[in-house]
Amino acid sequence: MNRTDDMTGGDIISVVRRYVRVPFHDHSLLAEVGLDSLSVVRIASELIPDPDQEIDPTGLAAVRTVGDLQRWLRGLLAPAESVR
């Protein structure tokens, strides 16, 4: 079993909370909670088990809210799960 097997939405949010110091919800804009693209990449790098996995900049550009971020991160983790 790898780290991705145990990854949940709560795990993703717990990593996001390390970077956000204000209350937020799924509809919170990333800019409003203080997340920029560098922060988002750092969050992704903490969650992605494969350090060689590429991050699609087009997908990242579409991330506007905390909910978008969660869905995008799950999408990054999904390829690792389907390889098993």
Side-chain angles (χ1 to χ4, degrees):
M1 179 158 57
N2 64 36
R3 182 177 176 187
T4 306
D5 292 329
D6 296 326
M7 192 62 55
T8 67
D11 295 324
I12 292 171
I13 288 299
S14 70
V15 173
V16 170
R17 282 193 177 114
R18 285 188 247 166
Y19 292 85
V20 176
R21 302 288 182 231
V22 298
F24 64 89
H25 50 80
D26 282 353
H27 300 291
S28 297
L29 295 174
L30 296 183
E32 289 177 353
V33 299
L35 291 175
D36 58 16
S37 58
L38 182 58
S39 299
V40 170
V41 170
R42 286 181 177 151
I43 291 167
S45 69
E46 284 189 40
L47 293 168
I48 298 170
D50 179 1
D52 294 326
Q53 182 175 343
E54 292 186 29
I55 294 175
D56 175 22
T58 306
L60 175 58
V63 174
R64 301 272 186 245
T65 67
V66 173
D68 292 342
L69 177 60
Q70 290 180 74
R71 285 184 290 282
W72 179 73
L73 290 167
R74 283 190 198 107
L76 290 178
L77 294 169
E81 290 178 344
S82 64
V83 171
R84 292 186 273 137

